[in-house]
Amino acid sequence: MFLKNQQSQKIDLLKLPPKTTIDADTIALLERLSLVDCANKKGIETLEAAIEFADQILQVDTTNIEPLITVLEDIPLRVREDKVTEGNCKEDILKNASVTEEEYFVAPPGNIPLEARENPLYEEELT
Amino acid sequence: MFSGIKTVAQFRRKYSEAIKSDKWKSVVGLEVHAQIMSESKLFSGASTKFSSPVNNNVSLFDCSIPGTLPVLNKRCVEAGVLTALALNCHVNPVSWFDRKHYFYADMPTGYQITQQRAPLAVDGIFSFEVLPVGSQKTSYKKQVKIKQLQLEQDSGKSLHDVDRSLVDLNRAGIPLMELVFEPDLKDGEEAAALVKELVNILQRIKTCSCKMEEGAMRVDANVSIHREGEPLGTRTEIKNIASVRGVASAIQYEIGRQIKIKDSGGTIINETRGWDAATKTTVAMRDKEVQQDYRYMPEPNLPPLHIAMGPVERGCVNADELRKLIPELPEETRERLKELGLTHEQTIILVNDFTLLSIFEEAAQKRKINYKHLANFLINDLLTILNKNEVEPNDINCSSDYYGEIVELLQNNKINRNTACMLVQEIVSGNQIRPTKIVQEKNLFQITDIAELTKLCQEVINENEKAVRDYKSGKIKALKYLMGAIGKKSKNLADMAKANDILKTLLHK
């Protein structure tokens, strides 16, 4: 499978949009949504650098081009017949859980939102 | 405004007019999650069997073990397309799957696979009849637009305790069709009618069992109110509705709750509320909705879904082939029944009751009788007797032709209505003998002979001097008493209409 009308364009690093800065509230929200430990100085720096890198793509001329979601878009979506072929393996399913009770998984009650940190811009990283 | 009111009834009428004239308009939009009737799940081969042992119908993919991938169930695509066609939607030749992220113990992957930006079908429309309860209001036709139909996974089930939740993943990955309706409805009654018609359609095309009590169909309602001429008000979402009647009750309650708040100067909060069937109220849900950002992204493990239709051959199912499989839909049945002579209201009632409709169709096929009378007999007399005996139509083990036979006897004036009901009672009690035979054996033929009726009436007049005097002095009720006596004397076999005329003639002599 090959790309028709392949064009190469040059990225002018001087014409990038102004660098996006992430404020304390945003990084706190992102941390809460993703549960990824990133609300610290290094985390913010990494995120801002990643956005700056991605900004390059804004210079590509995409007029009249359909958005590309995946290069696999021409692969036919495989479907299966409606038959029961899996399951019935309770032991395997429950094997990795640290706490079970009468074949149920045990989880903490409801959703406990991540506690907001005092200062989301603290210097030290957690290892 | 309330001057000149003399009775309580007058006050009530004026008061309800006042509420209506307060110009609060209510707007309702429904979201329905219908479980697709299939053997296995949407993306895995685990079973969908109801009431299985805890965590038994869970594959490695369903509990999110790394290294597993989704594989789409063909039957689910067929069901989605069939439903979309039955609801007059535009089926998208290409649709995509997305990930909707949020954290909850019963969704081990941390995201739900759904179709947010390019769903299976969009822009549908369908009509249904609203038959208002009680009052003299007549039925009316209502049209509702469908915004979109998409395929998506269900999550598992949590049992909540004080200090922990117990999670069963049997339902994780079960195939759902989400139907999003435009907010075209105005109250709970219209919403319940919509759901009833939808259930009717889905059951006919066999894509969903619609058993709300098994969780096979869930209805969420978005409700808001606003003043005439003003923009739409803030809406609340009502969840946890478990029956068709609950749909009407929950929405009516919520509309009332919002009107009360606005009338006393408050504001409506955009929140999710749960319907509590026990207290018949909506309550704010436990998990207060914090800013939800689902971070939608395309599902990277699934290429786009192609549906073949028209000149396009590429696709895992063919929409045109599926369209041929759609059976007669409720609206078509109503039209067909009308052509048989039934009234508008009769067609609505019959089409809403599948068992009764089957009985009607079966009976109508076997005999040439007046179909309007047959429908009337089934709807009024049969149902009344069944209710009295606390029995469902399905419990009766007899050919529907028995009912047709009774209606024929009635039509030919061989028996009167009283005998007809008695015969139905016999059937309900398990008597397998054919109605005509029962009538012959017990000599239950209607007395229509004029001479015999005249003799009967004269006897009753002779035996009830007081009642006759009362009638002649103007007491109309006495006539009823005399008719009752005729009924008793003739063992309820007299042709009451004829007897009435004869009696009156004799009394006026």
Side-chain angles (χ1 to χ4, degrees):
Chain A
M1 143 187 170
F2 57 94
L3 294 160
K4 299 185 193 163
N5 302 329
Q6 221 168 328
Q7 289 173 16
S8 48
Q9 298 181 15
K10 267 210 140 69
I11 302 291
D12 186 350
L13 290 170
L14 296 171
K15 291 212 186 118
L16 290 178
K19 185 171 166 180
T20 308
T21 44
I22 303 291
D23 65 18
D25 284 342
T26 308
I27 200 73
L29 174 65
L30 287 172
E31 205 181 52
R32 186 155 43 80
L33 288 177
S34 65
L35 295 186
V36 172
D37 180 12
C38 57
N40 50 59
K41 194 151 179 282
K42 190 78 189 344
I44 293 173
E45 275 171 14
T46 310
L47 183 54
E48 287 176 350
I51 297 173
E52 191 179 15
F53 176 77
D55 278 340
Q56 295 179 81
I57 209 170
L58 294 170
Q59 287 187 16
V60 177
D61 179 18
T62 56
T63 341
N64 292 328
I65 310 283
E66 274 292 304
L68 179 73
I69 313 273
T70 165
V71 293
L72 299 173
E73 65 179 11
D74 288 328
I75 305 245
L77 173 57
R78 236 190 89 218
V79 290
R80 33 169 270 277
E81 290 302 313
D82 183 27
K83 288 200 189 79
V84 176
T85 55
E86 296 173 287
N88 232 321
C89 52
K90 222 183 314 199
E91 267 178 41
D92 284 342
I93 300 295
L94 295 170
K95 197 152 64 175
N96 292 336
S98 50
V99 189
T100 64
E101 186 175 311
E102 281 183 38
E103 331 240 78
Y104 284 93
F105 292 99
V106 178
N111 251 0
I112 306 170
L114 191 65
E115 276 169 21
R117 273 194 251 245
E118 277 268 330
N119 177 11
L121 298 175
Y122 72 87
E123 296 282 337
E124 29 167 323
E125 291 169 40
L126 294 169
T127 38
Chain B
M1 173 170 68
F2 290 107
S3 64
I5 304 281
K6 295 231 168 61
T7 67
V8 173
Q10 283 178 346
F11 174 82
R12 242 188 252 141
R13 262 197 301 275
K14 206 68 185 227
Y15 185 58
S16 67
E17 273 168 40
I19 288 193
K20 279 192 202 137
S21 75
D22 205 15
K23 293 195 190 82
W24 279 119
K25 293 220 166 294
S26 51
V27 176
V28 178
L30 296 184
E31 273 169 30
V32 178
H33 290 88
Q35 177 180 337
I36 296 176
M37 253 177 15
S38 65
E39 299 290 320
S40 56
K41 294 185 178 179
L42 184 57
F43 293 116
S44 79
S47 163
T48 59
K49 193 148 171 279
F50 180 67
S51 219
S52 299
V54 174
N55 282 316
N56 197 56
N57 297 344
V58 184
S59 70
L60 296 182
F61 170 78
D62 298 325
C63 69
S64 187
I65 301 293
T68 55
L69 291 172
V71 186
L72 184 55
N73 180 333
K74 186 173 177 190
R75 156 72 186 155
C76 298
V77 183
E78 288 170 351
V81 174
L82 261 175
T83 308
L85 293 172
L87 297 176
N88 305 303
C89 298
H90 165 75
V91 175
N92 282 328
V94 186
S95 58
W96 292 83
F97 288 100
D98 302 306
R99 289 186 182 178
K100 176 181 179 180
H101 299 82
Y102 62 92
F103 290 113
Y104 211 73
D106 60 21
M107 201 173 65
T109 39
Y111 58 84
Q112 175 200 32
I113 301 180
T114 175
Q115 294 182 303
Q116 193 250 352
R117 71 214 134 92
L120 182 62
V122 292
D123 294 342
I125 192 164
F126 84 106
S127 335
F128 54 97
E129 297 281 339
V130 186
L131 191 59
V133 186
S135 69
Q136 267 79 343
K137 288 184 271 185
T138 47
S139 67
Y140 60 96
K141 206 183 207 113
K142 178 86 190 177
Q143 236 181 22
V144 157
K145 293 184 288 299
I146 296 147
K147 182 153 175 275
Q148 66 189 59
L149 183 156
Q150 67 213 41
L151 297 173
E152 61 182 34
Q153 293 173 307
D154 201 356
S155 62
K157 269 244 108 55
S158 314
L159 300 176
H160 299 294
D161 209 343
V162 180
D163 57 347
R164 71 210 195 294
S165 293
L166 300 177
V167 177
D168 174 12
L169 295 179
N170 277 351
R171 282 201 70 88
I174 284 230
L176 302 176
M177 291 181 288
E178 177 170 344
L179 293 150
V180 182
F181 292 91
E182 297 284 5
D184 295 335
L185 305 168
K186 75 171 196 293
D187 58 27
E189 218 165 54
E190 292 191 350
L194 185 162
V195 174
K196 254 191 144 149
E197 182 80 353
L198 183 64
V199 166
N200 210 324
I201 294 174
L202 294 180
Q203 284 178 336
R204 285 187 188 209
I205 60 179
K206 296 195 174 54
T207 55
C208 177
S209 73
C210 300
K211 293 190 184 153
M212 287 180 85
E213 65 280 8
E214 285 182 12
M217 189 160 102
R218 303 196 285 272
V219 178
D220 299 331
N222 293 298
V223 181
S224 73
I225 57 172
H226 64 278
R227 285 217 144 88
E228 175 100 60
E230 288 182 4
L232 293 180
T234 312
R235 63 177 165 90
T236 59
E237 185 182 9
I238 318 291
K239 285 177 122 66
N240 200 34
I241 301 172
S243 64
V244 177
R245 203 170 337 156
V247 171
S249 311
I251 293 172
Q252 289 306 98
Y253 172 83
E254 180 62 16
I255 292 173
R257 186 190 76 93
Q258 291 192 8
I259 290 180
K260 206 158 158 204
I261 291 179
K262 295 290 283 194
D263 272 345
S264 52
T267 46
I268 310 292
I269 313 168
N270 172 223
E271 59 176 347
T272 305
R273 298 179 70 86
W275 170 243
D276 184 344
T279 59
K280 291 218 179 4
T281 60
T282 60
V283 286
M285 295 201 23
R286 183 180 45 86
D287 260 328
K288 234 200 165 164
E289 288 269 331
V290 196
Q291 185 80 24
Q292 278 287 19
D293 183 344
Y294 294 117
R295 295 178 294 142
Y296 285 102
M297 69 176 248
E299 167 57 62
N301 293 326
L302 293 169
L305 173 59
H306 288 260
I307 309 288
M309 59 180 88
V312 177
E313 286 179 0
R314 179 189 178 177
C316 52
V317 301
N318 189 310
D320 300 321
E321 292 298 311
L322 287 169
R323 194 187 284 278
K324 294 180 194 161
L325 300 175
I326 298 181
E328 186 184 73
L329 295 177
E331 185 67 9
E332 293 163 340
T333 310
R334 282 191 289 265
E335 292 299 311
R336 182 167 56 82
L337 291 178
K338 263 192 223 145
E339 280 168 27
L340 284 179
L342 272 62
T343 68
H344 188 63
E345 261 70 24
Q346 282 179 327
T347 65
I348 297 175
I349 295 173
L350 277 183
V351 168
N352 270 344
D353 186 333
F354 187 70
T355 321
L356 208 60
L357 178 63
S358 311
I359 295 177
F360 173 86
E361 303 259 44
E362 216 188 302
Q365 253 176 24
K366 300 231 169 90
R367 256 164 229 268
K368 200 86 176 71
I369 41 182
N370 182 315
Y371 299 123
K372 193 158 142 206
H373 289 174
L374 172 62
N376 190 30
F377 182 72
L378 293 175
I379 293 170
N380 292 321
D381 302 299
L382 177 62
L383 278 187
T384 311
I385 296 172
L386 288 174
N387 285 337
K388 200 159 56 151
N389 286 270
E390 288 182 351
V391 153
E392 296 287 320
N394 257 330
D395 300 336
I396 309 297
N397 190 10
C398 84
S399 153
S400 304
D401 192 40
Y402 277 49
Y403 304 121
E405 200 174 308
I406 297 175
V407 173
E408 197 175 47
L409 288 168
L410 265 174
Q411 216 174 274
N412 298 335
N413 264 324
K414 294 261 173 66
I415 58 173
N416 65 20
R417 203 158 204 93
N418 212 294
T419 312
C421 291
M422 192 276 290
L423 288 170
V424 173
Q425 183 59 57
E426 286 291 311
I427 295 174
V428 171
S429 307
N431 192 335
Q432 298 272 1
I433 306 179
R434 290 219 78 113
T436 312
K437 212 149 186 283
I438 299 179
V439 170
Q440 281 164 350
E441 282 173 11
K442 297 196 180 168
N443 195 12
L444 299 170
F445 287 102
Q446 192 173 215
I447 303 174
T448 52
D449 180 49
I450 304 286
E452 203 177 330
L453 283 174
T454 310
K455 179 162 164 269
L456 207 64
C457 289
Q458 193 57 61
E459 281 174 15
V460 163
I461 289 178
N462 296 343
E463 289 162 12
N464 294 278
E465 289 179 15
K466 180 175 183 303
V468 174
R469 269 201 312 265
D470 285 342
Y471 176 75
K472 290 204 173 151
S473 67
K475 291 212 180 113
I476 312 289
K477 274 197 195 155
L479 186 69
K480 248 193 171 162
Y481 177 83
L482 289 168
M483 287 301 294
I486 291 177
K488 240 193 282 182
K489 205 170 178 66
S490 67
K491 295 202 199 95
N492 278 324
L493 292 175
D495 181 334
M496 294 309 257
K498 284 206 179 119
N500 197 311
D501 292 337
I502 295 175
L503 183 66
K504 281 207 193 119
T505 319
L506 289 177
L507 286 169
H508 286 272
K509 260 212 242 176

